[in-house]
Amino acid sequence: MKSLIMIFSMILALNVNARYVNGTVYDESGQTLAGVKVSIKGINTGTTTDVNGFYSIEVASEKSILVFSLIGFKAKEVKVGKVKVLDVTIEAVELELQEIVVAEDAVSRPMMQRSKLAKGAGNMSMSYAPPYYDKGQYHNTEEYATIHENGFKKVLDNALSTFSIDVDAASYSNMRRFINNGQLPPKDAVRIEEMINYFNYDYKNPTGKDPFSINTEVARAPWNEDHLIAQIGLQGKKIELENLPASNIVFLLDVSGSMSAPNKLPLLKSAFKLLVNELRPQDKVSIVVYAGAAGVVLEPTDGNDKKKIMEALDKLQAGGSTAGGAGINLAYKLAKEQFVEGGNNRVVLATDGDFNVGASSNASMERLIEEKREDGIFLTVLGFGMGNYKDSKMEILADKGNGNYAYIDTMKEAKKVLVNEFGGTMFTIAKDVKIQVEFNPAVVRAYRLIGYENRLLNDEDFNDDKKDAGELGSGHTVTALYEIIPVGVESDFVNDIDPLKYQSNDQQVTSSTDELLTVKFRYKEPDGAKSKLISKVVENEIRKSSNNLDWSMAVAGFGMLLRDSEFKGDLTYAEVLSLAKSAKGQDEFGYRAEFIDLVDLSKSMSPQ
């Protein structure tokens, strides 16, 4: 009896001594560092600093030692002591000039060879991220599909513009990762529509039978006063958590050797625990992992058995090659076996995208995922890590798999995607959503769609229900911007073509000047096969822009500067900052304040 009392007293004493320590991690110049792994020495648990370099961790006693580590920096150990706030500065690894030159040369050659091979084989062209330092040398194999920016089209030659919606936001958080690590992102890592759609907008909620409302607005372009910006915004119907259908979710987790870094599998496990906490008793979760082979590590488990699900996550370790195709096949097989009629059937894939065993090329992965989507199973793709990150492959999987795509670089981003926007990420309310805009040639000389380069459709695809398009989640907003050159405005962006030989060049304009454009939408119910059509006329009326439009224009302008777009005019970072600050509005989670900080930081890094 006495021994039991002594044991209980010791446990109680440990609990009393246990407490949280928090602080901020800096480099030697005083800049905060995101993605620093903070762990307790001797214990395989820890956390990662957020985008502001902040961390919080529970320690057992004053004798606990915290270890701070980040690629390119010297690991540092600090004894906790009695403090509650512990700020730490870590030193960058010193490099010899000779090492840098040799390592860069060793990396640049294979990267150039890969680019030539890809073009020669007829695949999409790729661009690569700048090298980063790890274990004594510079290297990088990150891949981004090349973006050929949309140019202006003359309305008399191209009256229609057709595209699929895009609710992905991976490009924004990936761009943020580059800037917070001290370098501007590669141009092709910047997808402007994903930056715009990272943010929610104050659009009217839908009130009719359709699952979204349509919101439009027209104002002067901040980078060219002679041009207009037309905004088209969709607001998805928000369904309360208790009213959402039952879920059948398969976690498909990459546990290959490339996932061993602190900002990969360890961050993945912590992020998925946030998602597990959102599950309800009627939901079921399975876990499939893949490395050199694929296997089931958790059979279908009720959402209220959170302890069992989290224990399965805790046991995961990284090692081996990456059989992504085998993992996808197994995950969809399990999802199909547990299919819930009228429910939310979804595979959640978490990976760095570096598949290297079996079906692994972009083309083969595209064919595989197109085949799987026919089973009525949706896909969410979550990207992790840096250095070998395959953004191009991740984007294809999400686009072709009736899915959405986010990049998780911090726990703050994990909370945004998996908690704050849980319904939008995990529950589809409309699929195959297409937009077609017809411009009035009486008032519009030319137009260009800002972003959405990889979501363009042929005009005839709009009425073809067999053509795949984007999905809209519960509560999601989608925003698209058109830059418009009005009739009568001269522009170097608009060039005439030679007279046609076999048909007349004379085109009669009979439309009214009261209308600027007509926008049409097609969408299907989540389990439907036939699309529904809705349309709206946008009047030729320019008003003072709202915060919604000002904010989206500020984000688009920032993207144009990062891409060094030929359409940016004389726009400066200072002007983007001013516009963003004026349109910040309510900022419940601080996402807009963070954007303003990123613009300010980019301004100091840019030669502009």
Side-chain angles (χ1 to χ4, degrees), residues 170 251-254 259 268 271-272 275 347-353 379-385 389 394 398 404-408 413-414 417-418 425-426:
F251 294 168
L252 175 56
L253 309 181
D254 183 351
M259 291 292 290
L268 182 159
F272 271 72
L275 176 55
V347 171
V348 182
L349 168 63
T351 178
D352 57 15
L379 178 69
T380 291
V381 179
L382 303 178
F384 290 83
Y389 190 65
M394 311 278 274
N404 46 52
Y405 168 33
Y407 175 77
I408 308 294
E413 184 65 18
V417 173
L418 300 176
T425 302
M426 302 301 294

Side-chain angles (χ1 to χ4, degrees), residues 345-369:
N345 299 280
R346 184 173 296 268
V347 171
V348 182
L349 168 63
T351 178
D352 57 15
D354 197 3
F355 305 152
N356 51 36
V357 174
S360 59
S361 70
N362 284 355
S364 61
M365 297 304 291
E366 181 175 343
R367 287 191 293 270
L368 175 62
I369 212 70

Side-chain angles (χ1 to χ4, degrees), residues 41 104 150 172 175 196 216 222 243 323 378 418 464 498 601:
K41 188 174 183 179
E104 282 187 328
N150 291 329
Y172 181 90
M175 169 275 298
I196 294 171
T216 59
N243 297 326
F378 292 88
L418 300 176
D464 185 352
D498 291 339
L601 187 56

Side-chain angles (χ1 to χ4, degrees), residues 31-95:
Q31 292 289 329
T32 58
L33 291 173
V36 179
K37 182 182 179 182
V38 185
S39 58
I40 301 171
K41 188 174 183 179
I43 302 176
N44 191 27
T45 59
T47 186
T48 306
T49 58
D50 66 13
V51 68
N52 299 310
F54 178 80
Y55 73 92
S56 180
I57 190 169
E58 187 176 18
V59 297
S61 70
E62 296 176 2
K63 297 180 180 179
S64 298
I65 296 175
L66 296 184
V67 181
F68 300 83
S69 58
L70 179 66
I71 292 173
F73 290 80
K74 296 178 182 177
K76 186 171 185 177
E77 297 183 0
V78 182
K79 187 175 180 180
V80 171
K82 297 182 178 180
V83 301
K84 295 181 180 179
V85 177
L86 181 60
D87 294 337
V88 174
T89 299
I90 58 177
E91 299 178 12
V93 177
E94 294 183 2
L95 309 175

Side-chain angles (χ1 to χ4, degrees), residues 165 167 200 205-206 211-213 234-245 247 280 344 346 378 380 404 416-417 419-431 433 471-478 526:
I165 68 162
V167 297
N200 285 321
N205 289 316
F212 54 84
S213 66
L234 304 183
Q235 174 63 62
K237 185 177 294 183
K238 182 174 178 58
I239 304 174
E240 296 303 323
L241 183 61
E242 59 270 18
N243 297 326
L244 290 170
S247 290
R280 305 159 300 171
N344 173 42
R346 184 173 296 268
F378 292 88
T380 291
N404 46 52
K416 176 183 187 291
V417 173
V419 178
N420 299 345
E421 299 175 1
F422 176 72
T425 302
M426 302 301 294
F427 293 88
T428 298
I429 60 173
K431 70 177 183 180
V433 184
E471 280 62 51
L472 186 68
S474 169
H476 257 157
T477 60
V478 179

Side-chain angles (χ1 to χ4, degrees), residues 476-496:
H476 257 157
T477 60
V478 179
T479 299
L481 300 180
Y482 278 96
E483 184 173 0
I484 292 172
I485 300 177
V487 168
V489 173
E490 294 300 318
S491 173
D492 292 335
F493 294 124
V494 182
N495 297 311
D496 292 325

Side-chain angles (χ1 to χ4, degrees), residues 429-446:
I429 60 173
K431 70 177 183 180
D432 291 341
V433 184
K434 306 171 189 175
I435 298 178
Q436 186 168 77
V437 179
E438 181 180 357
F439 292 90
N440 180 1
V443 293
V444 179
R445 183 184 180 200

